[in-house]
Amino acid sequence: MSTVLTQGIINVTSDCRACDHCTSICPTGAISGLLGQRHKIDHNLCINCGQCLINCPFGRIEDASMVDLVKKALADPSKFVIVQEAPAVRVALGEEFGLEPGTNVKNKMYAALRRLGFKKVYDTEFTADLTIMEEGTELIGRVYGALGVKGYENKGPLPQFTSCCPAWIKYAEDKYPKIIPYLSTAKSPQQMFGAISKTYLPTKLNVNPANIYSVSVMPCTAKKAECNRPEFISSGYQDVDAVITTRELAALIKEKGIDFNKLPAEEADKFIGASTGAATIFGVSGGVMEAALRTAYEILSGSTLDEVDLKAVRGLQSVREASVEIPVKALGKALPVNVAIVTGTKHVDKLIEDVLAGRSKYHFIEVMNCPGGCINGGGQPIRREMH
Amino acid sequence: MVVGSPSEEKCIRREIKMKFFGEREGMTRRQFFKGAGMLTVSAIFLGAFSKLGFDAFAASTDYIEKRAAGLYALDEKMAIRKSHENPEIAQIYKDFLSPGEVKPVSEKAHHLLHTKYGKDIPNFITELKSKQNEAA
Amino acid sequence: MSNIKGKVLKHGTQTRTMHWVHLIAFTILGLTGIAFYWNIDIIGNIFGGFANASLIHRWAGVVFTVGPALYILLNFDRFSRFIDTISNFSKEDFQWLKVMGGYIPFIKVDEAPPQDKYNAGQKMLGWMIIFGCILIILTGFPMWLWRHSLPAAFLGFCYDIHFWTAMIMILLVGGHFFLAAIHPKSRVEFSSMMLDGYIDAEISAHHNAKWFAELKEAD
């Protein structure tokens, strides 16, 4: 389908400095090479997370680029090019234009994308909300199934693992095929957006789905591999056509000569552009968990959740756990939901072995490959400064 | 020999103390401690330099916290903070995924929004393709 | 003209041994380091591939560190005397620097000002080599021992310092080699450091007049 998959997303350039720092970063041991030797990446083992790339002291690791595809599509008048941006992009894109990390440039980003020639600007946060609906419902089904509630048989085993992170998915597939039944079947927000953008959106906008070119801006290099996976064709086309990273978007904006900091604040287009705070925090480790718990609590209890901030699941430690009491109306009793949050696939092995041995007490486990979540993804601006 | 030049013999005698074996004898306890102290100090310097560098640059990962704080701040500013309250989510279910109602994991949602992993993928693709052929 | 006869011992056995060890280690380090920086396969292959070259580089680095350290440990007094000499910049030293000791062909000098055991240029070289070695050693070991745990930015910083210091050192040592072994005015010093340690008293009286006077006094 694409050259990206055959050549691998992440590659060490030929002028590798051989400092051997990356071998300790790589969660799968895909990088080979001794100190002093030019390093190499085994693409069968590599999960495309790009952590080595942003942590290379010399910037000698590169990711495959689809920028040319995007430029070609933007220049093609027959194509209806639409774009989605992940939550983590909006707090990091500004860094490429001299802003502090964490500055929210969401509305300027929408404006910049329109000026780059995208016909419609949407938001991955919309499908993040959709993911919560689907994944949350799936989780409720599994919990009911485990409790023996009628009508919820064969919903799948517990605990349920999140499936938003393509690096984690590839890790699970490669290293722990037995864990696959535990993964949520919900697609990642990016792929949900792809499928929706070529089925639902054309009915609303009256365009031919064949002409839609769906681009996504991601903080992630693994998303490039994900969009090229052969099974993501449920819309009848390749669901997402091209993925560019935060860095590549910044380069595009600079190349076009757009003065980013002077852009007006604009909003996303309607139908699949609205988002909620729950979707915004998808970009940080623990965010999917928090968003899912907010919705699950209200749906299961039928009452309003007063304290929206679930501080128990926040933080940047690599493995965190929490227990939340949810009063379930349908069962007439309170249910303790045990959750775990893992950031850095290196740290997930023990949890997986517990799950496979049947020792796990958790109901829902969030796994994000990059330390800290998508905000520290392989496609984010690279920071080398000394404080 | 001209007056004023140090005799060869004397020069050698003066320096002979410095020769390898002579030195060993000449190395006093005090001298040893001086030298050992100096080596220790250099080792401490090496450790201190690394620690200093580590601290100076460890702070360079602050950006992760700042970005996280940025997202949480943005979340607090949002008018709607729960996924199921998103009006467009309700709309897509009512208009498209589960016509007339908000019912996640409907048949259409399952087809469009769910996937399979690992060795299930080849069969899954055939399934998807046959469905699309039916629809066509 | 030769009215001063005999020989003077300028460098003791240990000094000469240390100099040799340092020289060999430095040459190996320099060659392998250059091979790493510019990815020069030929040099890498001489040392048995880059992985082996790196191993050699690291252990030569240990020799490069331990050699002088051991020397200082065993000859602390001599080392402090050396530091004392090279940190003492007198009026004559500055005058010497003004005329570059008469080594530069187009600066005409009748007679360079009298010098200590080391002339002003050698004193400066001494300091630069001491500081250069400290920088190279300080940045080198973290890159080897703690490469997995140090922040990437610090590793990059170490790498840059290591490389630029090494480059300057290679140039300095190149100049040092030229003056000590090739330049007709000073190559007479070659044997005093590389071979038996002795130098003609006459040359010493001419090049290091102050030191020679001190020797005479001690006599």
Side-chain angles (χ1 to χ4, degrees), chain A residues 134 185 187 204 309 375, chain B residues 67 81 93 95 112 114 117:
Chain A
E134 294 293 320
T185 61
K187 288 180 186 174
K204 290 285 177 190
D309 292 337
I375 45 170
Chain B
R67 288 176 189 166
R81 296 183 63 190
Y93 277 111
D95 290 3
L112 286 175
H114 289 257
Y117 306 106

Side-chain angles (χ1 to χ4, degrees), chain B residues 1-2 4-8 10-12 14-21 23-24 27 31-32 34-39 42 45-47 49-55 57-58 60, chain C residues 3-10 12-14 16 69-70 72-79 81 137-139 141-142 146 149-151 153-154 157-158 198 211-212 215-216 218-219:
Chain B
M1 181 156 286
V2 178
S5 73
S7 73
E8 185 182 341
K10 275 204 170 165
C11 276
I12 294 166
R14 192 183 118 75
E15 288 288 335
I16 206 146
K17 278 194 289 193
M18 296 293 188
K19 279 203 164 182
F20 195 81
F21 296 105
E23 273 310 306
R24 258 209 191 144
M27 191 169 75
Q31 224 175 323
F32 175 80
K34 263 191 205 164
M38 205 198 63
L39 281 189
S42 9
F45 262 116
L46 182 64
F49 174 77
S50 308
K51 183 76 180 65
L52 211 79
F54 189 88
D55 290 348
F57 288 92
S60 63
Chain C
N3 55 357
I4 304 167
K5 290 202 173 63
K7 278 175 176 277
V8 183
L9 181 66
K10 193 168 184 184
T13 317
Q14 287 200 21
R16 280 177 280 130
L70 209 63
I72 294 167
L73 186 79
L74 294 174
N75 303 273
F76 195 75
D77 278 3
R78 181 177 285 173
F79 180 71
R81 220 183 303 148
I137 290 165
L138 277 184
T139 51
F141 281 98
W146 305 303
S149 51
L150 288 177
F154 182 51
F157 172 78
C158 282
Y198 287 92
W211 176 62
F212 192 72
L215 276 186
K216 239 168 24 178
D219 201 18

